[in-house]
Amino acid sequence: MKHSLGKKIEAAGLNPKTEFLKVGILFLLTAGLTVGAYFLYGLSYVLIAPIGLFLAGLYFVYTRYDAILKGKSDENQEEFVRLFTYFSVYIGNNYNVYKGLESIIPFASPKMAEKLQKLLKAIDEDKTVQPFADFAAEFPDPKIREVMISIYQMVEEGSLSRYLEQFHRLFARLSEEKHEGVARKRLGKLESLSFLPLVGAGISLLMLALAVVEVLGGILSGL
């Protein structure tokens, strides 16, 4: 369990030791708050607060890794669309596939540039579809695999073949889907902000309710 979690943390670009230390600090903080609340209030509902804080913090810590990984994956796919938009322009200007792939490397991020250079090296050594399939395997969307296979088919038949039209059709569909996804994500972020006033009001009401219960408890205990 810990081993697989450590790999996920590393894939998210974080230090596993630092992340486990954060969980340990959160646990110690919660334990301290719980003990303090116990000595102040005894066995009462107040103990729910630090325990709830710990569970909420633990949930946030463990779910953020998936969110980070998904964010990185989305960014990679968005960059793929951006780079291969340039590639389609180069192909349209009579560049061959190899030269077109080579020409988009200067526009790529360091990690994507490394993947493209690895692809070009693999193409030099292997003239089958495998290098293109391996490159596509870096992305979770199967449509990217379709695009890369159509690019390989252009290598076999020539960029001025019917596979050029197929590439443009597949890539246009992928590009439209990714742009719509980006728009939905931005809209979702804006919509999530509308809940903040409600959350603030809910916290205020909860604090008020706890204060009222505490006052009533003090009054009743004094009778």
Side-chain angles (χ1 to χ4, degrees):
M1 177 70 178
K2 182 177 178 180
H3 183 65
S4 60
L5 179 61
K7 284 188 174 180
K8 181 183 288 188
I9 294 172
E10 289 178 347
L14 301 172
N15 187 323
K17 291 183 179 179
T18 302
E19 295 304 307
F20 289 130
L21 179 61
K22 288 179 181 178
V23 174
I25 292 173
L26 178 62
F27 175 77
L28 292 175
L29 177 62
T30 303
L33 290 173
T34 304
V35 171
Y38 173 76
F39 280 110
L40 286 173
Y41 303 101
L43 292 173
S44 71
Y45 64 88
V46 178
L47 296 178
I48 297 175
I51 295 173
L53 175 65
F54 174 73
L55 293 176
L58 199 62
Y59 176 79
F60 171 76
V61 167
Y62 282 98
T63 57
R64 67 190 285 257
Y65 306 134
D66 289 325
I68 292 173
L69 290 173
K70 186 179 185 308
K72 287 180 177 290
S73 176
D74 290 343
E75 287 176 5
N76 286 338
Q77 293 180 80
E78 289 165 14
E79 184 176 11
F80 177 92
V81 170
R82 178 177 63 83
L83 291 176
F84 279 80
T85 298
Y86 301 148
F87 173 80
S88 66
V89 173
Y90 285 123
I91 291 297
N93 283 282
N94 297 325
Y95 279 56
N96 61 37
V97 168
Y98 191 94
K99 185 64 176 176
L101 292 172
E102 192 176 47
S103 299
I104 64 176
I105 291 178
F107 304 105
S109 66
K111 287 188 176 181
M112 186 65 76
E114 184 179 343
K115 292 177 183 178
L116 288 167
Q117 289 165 349
K118 181 179 177 182
L119 170 62
L120 291 175
K121 183 179 179 181
I123 291 173
D124 288 334
E125 298 171 354
D126 185 352
K127 303 305 179 183
T128 70
V129 71
Q130 194 59 46
F132 296 87
D134 290 342
F135 179 81
E138 300 280 348
F139 307 90
D141 194 331
K143 292 186 181 64
I144 291 180
R145 178 181 173 84
E146 295 176 1
V147 169
M148 294 307 298
I149 290 176
S150 72
I151 292 175
Y152 165 74
Q153 290 170 328
M154 283 194 290
V155 174
E156 289 294 290
E157 301 294 333
S159 60
L160 297 179
S161 68
R162 60 191 175 91
Y163 292 113
L164 176 60
E165 181 181 347
Q166 176 179 293
F167 162 75
H168 283 303
R169 184 175 67 255
L170 291 171
F171 182 71
R173 187 173 64 184
L174 174 67
S175 179
E176 181 180 0
E177 180 183 289
K178 295 307 174 187
H179 287 145
E180 289 177 353
V182 171
R184 286 195 300 270
K185 185 164 61 175
R186 289 177 179 172
L187 182 61
K189 287 181 179 179
L190 292 175
E191 289 177 346
S192 65
L193 293 177
S194 65
F195 288 97
L196 291 179
L198 295 176
V199 172
I203 292 174
S204 298
L205 289 173
L206 178 61
M207 295 301 293
L208 179 61
L210 289 174
V212 170
V213 171
E214 187 69 21
V215 171
L216 290 175
I219 294 173
L220 292 174
S221 63
L223 292 178

